[in-house]
Amino acid sequence: MTLINDRTDAIYVESLTMGYGDTVVLKDVAFSVKRGSIFIVMGGSGCGKSTLLKHLIGLKEPLAGSVFLSGVDYWNADEATQLSVLRKQGVLFQGGALWSTLTLLENVALPLKEFTTLSQADCNALARLKLALVGLVGFEDAYPANISGGMKKRAGLARAMALDPDILFFDEPSAGLDPVTSRNLDDLILKIRDSLGTTVVIVTHELSSIFNIGEDAIFLDSQTKTLLAQASPKTLAQSGPQSVRAFLTRI
Amino acid sequence: MESAHYTIDGEVLRVGLRGAWVLQGQQVYESPAAVLKERSGVERVAFDASALQQWDSRLVLFVLEVFQAARGKQIDTRGLPRQLLEWIALTEAGERFQAKTGPVNFFAHVGERAGDLWLSLAGYFRFLGEVVMALVNSVRGRAHWHWDDVLHFVQNTGIEALPIVSLISFLVGLILAFVGLVQLSQFGASLFVANLVGLAMVREMGAMMTGVIMAGRTGAAFAAAIGSMNVSEETDAFKVMAISPVEFLVIPRLLGLFLMMPLLCLYADFVGILGGIFVAVTLKGLSLVEYLNQTRGAIALNDIFTGLIKGTTFGFIIGFLGCYTGLRCERNSAAVGSSTTKAVVYSITALIVADAIFAVLFNALKV
């Protein structure tokens, strides 16, 4: 593995140890995510994938180590810097996490209203645009409770993209979706990356997605509580550590 | 400095983009629609992005605004960044559905509301029917609910409510005694304050105040608990297992409240009378024995029963409305809040209406 890690990468993680209270979930994790790449975080259930994600999106503070987001040492930065870093990131939560009392349009327009100087009409126009981007034209006035799971994910994606983030995080994007819908979402992620140059970080254990769109990946292991390997999924499947190969080839 | 400037070149309008077109920034520009309206000779629109430094979807919004304004004219997009055109292409690929907006007709609106009102009335009766059927099933031994749950609600709605019921009833008795003494002492009839406090507590205030407390404490809790179960599809989980949520969730709550309300009322009556004694005896110096004798003479068994009947009915109303609004809760987080509010407001309103009906009824029956 001859990856040259650089603190100015989209994400750079250095000797990160994380856990809850006294329980350590993962220790000494180090990796970096290149700008504009599609990066996969994988591992079995309970290996700390979601915990790692929480450290990358500013929800949970590490026990030790640092996380550099767009070159900023996030957990040692002052609050104003932290907020500006968060504003350049978008997160798609597992269930969409749409605000259930707002319509889809209001969901997407809310970050625009809060963080830009655009007029109400422009905010709405832009929100409509983002919804169109994910194929949700005509559902602007629908409430999250009244749309399907796949649509919720797409609406969540539109909201995550509201402020044109540099980095987009996906927590299990294919969970609960049928293979076709899941494939469409993968295609959408690819298109977004290709046309907007967004860095994409995906937490998943869906093999087809991993091979379809993953360019670089890390594998977390719950037994050793460490990062086992970093390479492209294809390389990992061929010449990775035994347990990683087993995971990727379902043996 | 403006972020977009327009130059006319024969019949071509050239839109020059300058500086940073980003969401976080500030853009100053003349509306393209206004510019095109002013210059009527324009046939083509072209873009020049050579002075553009940085852009994101803010620029997409502007370009689409130009497209909109220049509809029917020739648009030359060669001057725009390639990625921006891809962005727009993505958006257009997504525009497969037509937005549907119907005009809101006043009469349709009124009709809809009337229909809703009828539906909601029908809903109450249906729920009442479901509760009755659940009780019938219980008698036949075929219902799914457990006495453990009933005991839980007996503790939850009854025993745990004692402190607040004590405080409120004591204060109500105390207030009645104060107000009564001020008036009655003018006639030298101070002792009759015992009649006032005793009758008022036993016939009216005991049941009413307990009802109000229960509506705020228990009815709201029922609506919130069942409502949030509804939001997370837990009630559906009961239904698919052929367990009626009305039986499993509603009956134990109703029974618990049904058992505890009369007892709480009786307790409230007692504490209220203590409040009266506190004022009359310790503050106003009436004799305790005389006060007690006067109270005993004033209150007949009938009076106590009227209070208990009211209290029990109130208990049913509170439990019924709390559970009903909970079960009818919509599937979002705000709906839990509004169904809780509804449970309290509807309960208190219904209590007062029921109290008025009882007043007429008892008067007619001369009890």
Side-chain angles (χ1 to χ4, degrees):
Chain A
M1 193 166 78
T2 54
L3 277 161
I4 304 151
N5 292 347
D6 184 351
R7 289 188 173 183
T8 58
D9 277 339
I11 301 173
Y12 172 73
V13 172
E14 193 177 54
S15 57
L16 177 71
T17 299
M18 52 204 191
Y20 298 89
D22 290 337
T23 350
V24 171
V25 178
L26 280 170
K27 55 183 186 238
D28 237 7
V29 174
F31 64 89
S32 77
V33 180
K34 298 271 170 258
R35 277 172 203 278
S37 67
I38 297 185
F39 187 87
I40 310 265
V41 178
M42 56 185 171
S45 303
C47 69
K49 296 188 297 276
S50 300
T51 314
L52 175 61
L53 184 70
K54 279 184 191 157
H55 286 78
L56 301 181
I57 58 179
L59 284 180
K60 212 173 166 322
E61 201 171 343
L63 296 179
S66 359
V67 176
F68 289 81
L69 299 168
S70 312
V72 175
D73 185 357
Y74 184 80
W75 293 105
N76 290 317
D78 59 279
E79 211 186 324
T81 319
Q82 284 188 335
L83 290 180
S84 72
V85 167
L86 287 186
R87 229 166 278 164
K88 296 306 279 177
Q89 302 196 350
V91 183
L92 171 60
F93 290 93
Q94 212 177 99
L98 297 167
W99 296 302
S100 57
T101 55
L102 305 179
T103 63
L104 297 193
L105 189 75
E106 288 165 340
N107 260 286
V108 182
L110 189 136
L112 292 167
K113 261 177 230 162
E114 296 302 315
F115 295 120
T116 67
T117 51
L118 295 178
S119 68
Q120 176 85 40
D122 280 349
C123 279
N124 286 344
L126 203 50
R128 212 164 276 130
L129 215 65
K130 305 271 167 168
L131 283 170
L133 197 64
V134 297
L136 283 176
V137 176
F139 292 94
E140 288 89 352
D141 295 328
Y143 282 91
N146 304 327
I147 59 174
S148 71
M151 287 160 80
K152 270 183 210 164
K153 291 228 166 146
R154 282 187 279 152
L157 179 55
R159 187 182 68 182
M161 289 175 30
L163 290 170
D164 291 313
D166 294 335
I167 313 176
L168 263 177
F169 293 91
F170 293 82
D171 190 6
E172 308 262 4
S174 32
L177 297 185
D178 68 78
V180 177
T181 314
S182 159
R183 177 73 205 232
N184 289 341
L185 192 63
D186 285 352
D187 290 346
L188 185 62
I189 293 171
L190 260 182
K191 262 193 223 156
I192 287 165
R193 195 281 306 265
D194 289 346
S195 53
L196 307 180
T198 315
T199 309
V200 178
V201 176
I202 306 174
V203 171
T204 186
H205 46 221
E206 189 70 31
L207 289 181
S208 52
S209 295
I210 293 174
F211 287 115
N212 268 342
I213 57 173
E215 292 166 350
D216 197 5
I218 54 172
F219 187 90
L220 305 174
D221 187 57
S222 58
Q223 251 132 44
T224 60
K225 296 185 177 171
T226 50
L227 193 161
L228 265 192
Q230 172 170 14
S232 81
K234 287 193 180 74
T235 319
L236 284 178
Q238 279 158 16
S239 54
Q242 207 274 324
S243 59
V244 182
R245 269 184 291 148
F247 181 91
L248 286 173
T249 52
R250 282 198 181 163
I251 302 167
Chain B
M1 192 190 90
E2 72 240 4
S3 315
H5 72 115
Y6 305 91
T7 41
I8 299 283
D9 184 4
E11 54 183 25
V12 181
L13 174 75
R14 219 168 273 286
V15 184
L17 302 165
R18 279 190 201 157
W21 278 85
V22 290
L23 286 172
Q24 312 283 346
Q26 187 91 47
Q27 283 81 30
V28 187
Y29 61 88
E30 214 180 322
S31 145
V35 171
L36 280 168
K37 214 173 182 181
E38 242 172 68
R39 321 280 161 83
S40 48
V42 174
E43 287 304 320
R44 274 180 64 206
V45 178
F47 293 91
D48 172 18
S50 54
L52 182 67
Q53 285 157 357
Q54 211 190 340
W55 64 273
D56 61 15
S57 48
R58 182 66 191 85
L59 183 60
V60 177
L61 194 64
F62 174 72
V63 169
L64 288 180
E65 200 181 328
V66 175
F67 283 8
Q68 182 84 22
R71 233 182 326 177
K73 297 184 173 47
Q74 222 180 332
I75 299 172
D76 181 358
T77 58
R78 276 171 300 178
L80 288 171
R82 187 186 53 85
Q83 284 188 325
L84 186 129
L85 294 174
E86 280 177 25
W87 221 114
I88 292 173
L90 271 183
T91 317
E92 280 165 355
E95 291 197 28
R96 264 170 296 175
F97 308 94
Q98 278 293 318
K100 40 183 187 290
T101 45
V104 181
N105 184 317
F106 172 75
F107 294 104
H109 193 66
V110 170
E112 235 165 61
R113 289 303 290 265
D116 285 350
L117 187 68
W118 168 246
L119 279 180
S120 75
L121 268 180
Y124 284 106
F125 285 112
R126 178 170 315 145
F127 184 61
L128 186 62
E130 284 175 36
V131 169
V132 171
M133 280 316 292
L135 286 171
V136 169
N137 279 341
S138 310
V139 171
R140 290 154 79 195
R142 276 201 261 149
H144 299 277
W145 57 267
H146 304 287
W147 281 106
D148 305 10
D149 290 339
V150 178
L151 287 181
H152 169 78
F153 288 112
V154 162
Q155 172 172 357
N156 186 268
T157 62
I159 296 153
E160 285 170 16
L162 284 180
I164 179 87
V165 172
S166 311
L167 177 72
I168 300 290
S169 316
F170 189 81
L171 291 179
V172 169
L174 190 140
I175 294 163
L176 285 173
F178 261 123
V179 175
L181 273 171
V182 169
Q183 300 301 320
L184 291 170
S185 59
Q186 291 177 2
F187 306 102
S190 297
L191 191 56
F192 280 92
V193 77
N195 297 44
L196 173 73
V197 173
L199 274 177
M201 281 312 295
V202 167
R203 290 193 67 115
E204 281 295 333
M205 298 312 280
M208 198 55 181
M209 293 320 287
T210 316
V212 170
I213 294 165
M214 287 290 112
R217 198 180 170 278
T218 308
F222 286 180
I226 297 180
S228 53
M229 289 181 83
N230 211 11
V231 171
S232 55
E233 297 185 309
E234 288 170 56
T235 50
D236 288 350
F238 280 122
K239 280 182 205 157
V240 296
M241 287 184 188
I243 297 170
S244 154
V246 175
E247 285 173 11
F248 200 90
L249 299 174
V250 175
I251 297 297
R253 287 177 167 81
L254 277 180
L255 280 182
L257 204 52
F258 196 72
L259 290 174
M260 289 330 274
M261 266 307 273
L263 296 180
L264 280 174
C265 283
L266 213 53
Y267 175 76
D269 296 348
F270 174 70
V271 177
I273 292 171
L274 283 188
I277 292 176
F278 177 75
V279 171
V281 175
T282 61
L283 300 182
K284 296 285 172 176
L286 293 178
S287 139
L288 176 64
V289 179
E290 274 182 47
Y291 188 98
L292 286 179
N293 276 334
Q294 189 69 25
T295 305
R296 207 166 56 182
I299 302 172
L301 205 55
N302 265 352
D303 299 320
I304 295 178
F305 277 128
T306 56
L308 291 188
I309 289 169
K310 274 188 196 176
T312 315
T313 316
F314 291 173
F316 181 77
I317 290 173
I318 293 159
F320 180 86
L321 288 174
C323 294
Y324 177 77
T325 50
L327 278 177
R328 291 292 177 279
C329 176
E330 276 176 56
R331 297 241 151 108
N332 64 62
S333 47
V336 177
S338 75
S339 78
T340 310
T341 313
K342 251 188 230 166
V344 176
V345 174
Y346 289 4
S347 297
I348 293 180
T349 313
L351 291 193
I352 292 172
V353 172
D355 199 33
I357 295 173
F358 273 125
V360 175
L361 212 61
F362 289 150
N363 188 47
L365 294 172
K366 303 209 164 45
V367 285

